[in-house]
Amino acid sequence: MLFLASDFRLPNYITGMTNGFKPLDWVHSTNIYEVNVRQYTAEGTFNAFAKELPRLIDMGVQVLWFMPIYPIGEVNRKGTIGSYYSISDYKKVSSDYGTFDDFKNLVNQAHALGFKIILDWVANHTAWDHVWTKSHPDFFTKDHAGNFRPPFPDWADVIDLNFDNKELWSEMISDMKFWITAVGIDGFRCDMAHLVPLDFWKEARKQLDEIKPLFWLAETEEANYHTVFDATYTWEFLHKMEAFWRKETIMEGLDSVLIKYDTIFPPNALRAFFTSNHDENSHSGSEYERMGDLAKAFAVLCATWNAIPLIYSGQELPNKKRLRFFEKDEIEWTSTVELHDFYKTLLNLHATHPALRAGDPAVITYRITTNEDKNVFSFLRKNGEKEVLVIINLFSADALSVSITDEKVNGNFRNVFSGDSVDISSNKTFDLPASGFLVFEK
């Protein structure tokens, strides 16, 4: 629950809409790292990526979300090697990445280190030459001439699935079960989930969770999808952060979206907050193109708010180039991963601190007043006596002397980045550089 500085409790208009499936307890403190196998290494293979696992576990990554690893259709393909999301067979892996056994070995290695694995699942559409176009042509919607058709005109490399056909449901769920029983994955990230009927997802989760309780992440901002999914996206807040950097909105604009989320989503809703992902990077630019000097500051916000932090491949480098979507265009790794320790600090704090549990009604979030409320985004998160205080200077032009004027902030805190202790009862003024931030745990 979010409180404004006035302690006004926000109404939740859909408190009666509870999640029909209980999230696994570890999900409340987890984070997600999106893996783009194609672009991660020069080889672009499962075996090459496996060498990165020790570095990522040290960084504090807990869930590895693999972008689609399946064979890509050749008919109406875009670019040289096509879209990851144009799939020709749900039960195979692309030979570009290696063999099925290579992927299974990668999952086993990751599990041994403590990672959870979720797969990208693209249920709304397939490639024009998906195996079902031959075996089950009735699984697809047709145009007036009886031909396969794309879901939208500009999605010309894929064709639309017909979820009015209940046999499709059975085959789709069977293919999802395959990855649980044959590989042992831990969940799914469901692409454009709101384009697929909610009743299908209910049936899929009911059947799949009977095999193994899973983590379910939906690419949607439709609140009613939380009747099935554990977590959903926060596109609106991402774009509001970008607008703030462009000076197209003010602090109240950021707050308005967070208030909206707290109002229309269930109290136990888990939300994935992020500053980049594969779509944003390839189509709109890296977080540095879209947020400039505030990229790191907003990353702090995404990792400490009522959220599951989501990080895209290479953000820890940091990767500042757009990766081409339909071509091979690997991340240009260097010997120094500059933001490794930055993310390690944030991810470990999120994983271990009770006040940062996402979607936990026991955690209360307060927006904290300062002398610089037009430029400073400050908040306190509390779970009983456990507290985390975050102060972010969103004024990228100059340093600020920030004084906390809110009486709720008192006691001894530790700066999680420096390790220094501070008694905030007696010292409530801090100097923050332009785009600077402070994160304290009590």
Side-chain angles (χ1 to χ4, degrees):
M1 178 62 67
L2 168 64
F3 282 71
L4 299 181
S6 63
D7 283 3
F8 173 68
R9 183 180 289 271
L10 298 165
N12 192 298
Y13 296 121
I14 55 171
T15 52
M17 191 194 78
T18 57
N19 191 328
F21 300 91
K22 183 177 176 62
L24 294 160
D25 188 66
W26 60 262
V27 175
H28 294 279
S29 299
T30 200
N31 57 70
I32 303 167
Y33 186 90
E34 181 184 5
V35 181
N36 185 335
V37 175
R38 174 193 289 178
Q39 313 295 28
Y40 212 91
T41 62
E43 301 90 338
T45 63
F46 300 129
N47 290 338
F49 174 73
K51 298 174 183 177
E52 306 296 327
L53 294 178
R55 175 179 63 81
L56 293 173
I57 201 71
D58 181 73
M59 195 170 83
V61 172
Q62 294 187 338
V63 173
L64 297 173
W65 152 30
F66 284 90
M67 289 174 64
I69 58 171
Y70 321 100
I72 294 171
E74 297 183 6
V75 177
N76 295 329
R77 173 180 286 189
K78 290 186 177 181
T80 304
I81 50 182
S83 168
Y84 320 76
Y85 294 85
S86 177
I87 296 165
S88 62
D89 194 326
Y90 287 119
K91 293 174 69 175
K92 293 183 179 179
V93 302
S94 170
S95 60
D96 290 341
Y97 305 152
T99 66
F100 178 83
D101 284 342
D102 289 339
F103 182 67
K104 190 171 182 178
N105 290 336
L106 171 58
V107 172
N108 289 339
Q109 291 178 59
H111 278 160
L113 288 171
F115 290 105
K116 306 292 186 184
I117 304 297
I118 64 174
L119 288 187
D120 218 320
W121 197 260
V122 188
N124 180 68
H125 50 266
T126 75
W128 287 79
D129 47 355
H130 189 279
V131 292
W132 287 346
T133 60
K134 303 294 184 184
S135 61
H136 298 286
D138 54 325
F139 283 4
F140 299 87
T141 60
K142 309 289 190 354
D143 62 18
H144 65 279
N147 300 314
F148 299 136
R149 66 172 185 83
F152 304 102
D154 56 337
W155 292 14
D157 59 337
V158 294
I159 49 177
D160 192 54
L161 283 164
N162 177 19
F163 277 86
D164 290 336
N165 187 330
K166 291 299 180 69
E167 188 181 350
L168 165 62
W169 291 30
S170 297
E171 288 294 320
M172 179 77 71
I173 292 170
S174 176
D175 284 4
M176 297 175 82
K177 287 179 179 178
F178 168 78
W179 293 98
I180 302 168
T181 58
V183 182
I185 66 162
D186 304 292
F188 291 99
R189 177 268 185 188
C190 298
D191 182 69
M192 298 298 288
H194 53 280
L195 298 182
V196 175
L198 186 55
D199 283 343
F200 166 77
W201 293 121
K202 290 179 181 177
E203 183 62 26
R205 179 155 191 180
K206 177 183 175 182
Q207 292 192 33
L208 271 58
D209 276 8
E210 289 176 355
I211 301 172
K212 177 182 180 179
L214 301 172
F215 170 42
W216 291 78
L217 168 64
E219 185 191 17
T220 187
E221 280 211 82
E222 294 193 12
N224 63 324
Y225 272 64
H226 277 277
T227 57
V228 174
F229 288 92
D230 300 320
T232 54
Y233 270 46
T234 53
W235 290 110
E236 186 175 0
F237 190 67
L238 171 74
H239 298 316
K240 191 65 71 173
M241 290 188 289
E242 295 167 344
F244 186 93
W245 174 69
R246 295 193 302 266
K247 302 186 185 307
E248 296 171 357
T249 190
I250 57 178
M251 194 68 68
E252 286 78 4
L254 296 175
D255 279 329
S256 68
V257 179
L258 297 174
I259 292 169
K260 175 182 175 181
Y261 287 164
D262 199 64
T263 303
I264 70 171
F265 282 83
N268 65 341
L270 295 158
R271 314 300 310 289
F273 276 62
F274 50 91
T275 59
S276 191
N277 60 32
H278 65 274
D279 283 317
E280 293 301 321
N281 173 274
S282 292
H283 303 309
S284 302
S286 79
E287 63 270 34
Y288 297 92
E289 289 184 67
R290 295 176 287 105
M291 299 178 182
D293 293 340
L294 293 180
K296 283 183 66 178
F298 279 131
V300 171
L301 175 54
C302 290
T304 52
W305 192 252
N306 180 18
I308 296 177
L310 190 158
I311 301 168
Y312 181 45
S313 296
Q315 282 195 267
E316 70 271 32
L317 184 56
N319 172 50
K320 295 186 177 181
K321 78 169 185 176
R322 301 187 185 200
L323 303 174
R324 289 180 292 174
F325 198 77
F326 304 106
E327 309 291 343
K328 175 66 176 172
D329 187 20
E330 68 262 24
I331 298 166
E332 297 171 358
W333 295 100
T334 63
S335 58
T336 301
V337 181
E338 182 179 331
L339 299 184
H340 178 95
D341 289 342
F342 166 76
Y343 280 112
K344 181 176 181 176
T345 297
L346 291 172
L347 297 183
N348 285 336
L349 181 69
H350 184 273
T352 59
H353 205 288
L356 295 188
R357 281 175 59 86
D360 187 339
V363 179
I364 300 174
T365 304
Y366 299 91
R367 284 285 273 113
I368 298 301
T369 55
T370 73
N371 64 321
E372 289 280 0
D373 282 348
K374 290 184 177 180
N375 298 310
V376 171
F377 192 99
S378 182
F379 58 96
L380 181 74
R381 303 196 66 208
K382 287 176 60 72
N383 189 341
E385 297 300 313
K386 304 293 185 179
E387 300 180 7
V388 170
L389 172 66
V390 181
I391 309 168
I392 305 174
N393 178 6
L394 294 181
F395 187 49
S396 60
D398 206 352
L400 295 175
S401 180
V402 180
S403 296
I404 297 174
T405 59
D406 201 309
E407 294 302 316
K408 283 186 289 297
V409 183
N410 286 288
N412 293 308
F413 285 77
R414 185 185 74 91
N415 184 318
V416 302
F417 286 102
S418 70
D420 296 337
S421 295
V422 58
D423 182 359
I424 296 183
S425 301
S426 58
N427 181 11
K428 293 191 174 185
T429 300
F430 304 92
D431 293 326
L432 271 74
S435 308
F437 46 83
L438 292 167
V439 180
F440 296 101
E441 62 174 338
K442 192 171 187 179

